[in-house]
């Protein structure tokens, strides 16, 4: 039932789309996400452009309930490409920090109520939850109608996914074709880098990447080269 509802929503979104305005704190609190959470809880999530969720604050809004890479040499919470992958233990720590008991249901809630939520933390959290039904939703966030900051988080969410679908590859290639701004699309390099083992087996992919004329094309093609041909 939930999946059917999401598919219907995805199909009708273009007709219902309106200019996005980040909800006020009062508006966000009125959006229930279940499990004792509401839209305002997303503001407890601090997000980086390159590494996704960096920090989760406690319900008091001050204490730190989760800090990515807290045990690393740099003290954690750094927004860098190398910190983007989410380890299983980090995912569990984020769930604990937000007191999420049912990640599948929360993922559905975030997708269904996306237009009423703060988009960047919502997408970053969807990326961490990594439920299979989220891929189509994330692909749709790569369209021109989406805010460019949100698009970067959608790309990153696909990049850190344990598994990708052929449609994901097509969606990020289409993004590279449409947008030649290197800052807007740098996350696509992460996408190919993190899924290099799977994608390097596609003999047609390098040509498809070059055909985008993206400023990142040469770097992506280099990533796709087999070790023997580098």
């Amino acid at each position: 039932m939930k999946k059917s509802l999401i598919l219907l929503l995805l199909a009708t979104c273009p007709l219902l789309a309106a200019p996005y305005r980040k909800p006020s704190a009062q508006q966000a609190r009125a959006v229930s996400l279940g499990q004792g959470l509401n839209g305002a809880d997303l503001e407890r999530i601090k997000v980086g452009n390159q590494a996704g969720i960096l920090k989760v604050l406690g319900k008091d809004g001050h204490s730190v309930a989760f800090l990515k890479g807290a045990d690393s040499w740099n003290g954690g919470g750094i927004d860098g490409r190398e910190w983007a992958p989410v380890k299983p233990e980090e995912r569990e720590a984020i769930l604990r920090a937000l007191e999420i008991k049912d990640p599948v249901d929360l993922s559905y809630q975030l997708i269904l109520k996306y237009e009423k939520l703060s988009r960047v933390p919502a997408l970053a959290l969807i990326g961490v939850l990594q439920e299979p039904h989220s891929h189509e939703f994330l692909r749709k966030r790569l369209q021109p109608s989406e805010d460019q900051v949100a698009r970067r988080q959608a790309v990153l969410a696909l990049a850190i996914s344990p598994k990708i679908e052929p449609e994901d590859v097509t969606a990020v290639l289409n993004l590279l074709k449409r947008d030649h701004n290197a800052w807007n699309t740098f996350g696509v390099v992460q996408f190919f880098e993190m899924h290099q083992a799977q994608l390097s087996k596609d003999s047609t992919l390098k040509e498809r990447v070059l055909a985008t004329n993206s400023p990142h094309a040469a770097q992506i093609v280099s990533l796709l080269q087999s070790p023997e041909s580098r």
Side-chain angles (χ1 to χ4, degrees):
M1 180 63 180
K2 287 181 179 177
K3 185 174 182 180
S4 299
L5 185 58
I6 286 178
L7 291 175
L8 177 62
L9 183 66
L10 290 171
T12 57
C13 270
L15 299 176
L16 302 175
Y20 171 70
R21 290 185 179 180
K22 182 177 178 178
S24 66
Q26 182 178 1
Q27 289 171 327
R29 281 193 295 270
V31 181
S32 173
L33 298 173
Q35 305 177 64
L37 297 170
N38 60 59
D41 285 299
L42 295 178
E43 300 305 327
R44 294 162 49 198
I45 302 173
K46 306 308 174 184
V47 182
N49 284 310
Q50 300 179 81
I53 294 181
L54 301 173
K55 182 189 296 185
V56 178
L57 299 179
K59 288 190 174 182
D60 60 8
H62 301 289
S63 59
V64 177
F66 167 79
L67 182 65
K68 193 170 190 180
D71 297 330
S72 65
W73 61 269
N74 60 26
I78 303 299
D79 184 24
R81 290 176 58 188
E82 63 270 34
W83 307 108
V86 179
K87 302 173 185 176
E89 58 269 27
E90 290 174 330
R91 180 181 184 274
E92 292 305 311
I94 291 170
L95 297 184
R96 286 195 302 272
L98 292 167
E99 299 182 16
I100 300 168
K101 297 179 177 62
D102 188 342
V104 176
D105 185 68
L106 180 58
S107 183
Y108 277 119
Q109 293 291 330
L110 291 169
I111 290 172
L112 289 170
K113 299 172 181 176
Y114 177 70
E115 295 299 331
K116 298 179 180 180
L117 300 171
S118 184
R119 293 185 173 186
V120 169
L123 286 167
L125 186 51
I126 289 170
V128 167
L129 296 175
Q130 284 301 336
E131 300 301 332
H133 61 254
S134 66
H135 280 245
E136 182 177 359
F137 175 78
L138 292 170
R139 291 194 295 267
K140 286 186 176 293
R141 304 282 70 76
L142 303 187
Q143 297 303 311
S145 58
E146 186 61 88
D147 174 80
Q148 66 184 23
V149 180
R151 278 201 301 270
R152 288 199 291 268
Q153 283 302 318
V155 171
L156 182 55
L158 291 170
I160 65 175
S161 175
K163 296 180 180 179
I164 56 171
E165 303 168 356
E167 294 85 354
D168 299 338
V169 181
T170 300
V172 296
L173 287 175
N174 286 337
L175 173 62
L176 289 180
K177 287 180 185 177
R178 289 193 305 267
D179 192 340
H180 288 178
N181 183 314
W183 172 244
N184 290 345
T185 57
F186 69 80
V188 176
V189 178
Q190 291 175 281
F191 175 85
F192 284 97
E193 183 177 23
M194 294 182 193
H195 299 288
Q196 177 185 18
Q198 175 182 341
L199 295 176
S200 60
K201 299 174 184 176
D202 185 341
S203 60
T204 69
L205 190 51
K206 291 191 285 291
E207 290 183 8
R208 294 166 65 195
V209 170
L210 290 172
T212 67
N213 292 315
S214 166
H216 297 299
Q219 183 181 3
I220 294 171
V221 167
S222 178
L223 288 170
L224 294 172
Q225 299 286 351
S226 64
E228 294 79 12
S229 59
R230 288 180 188 175

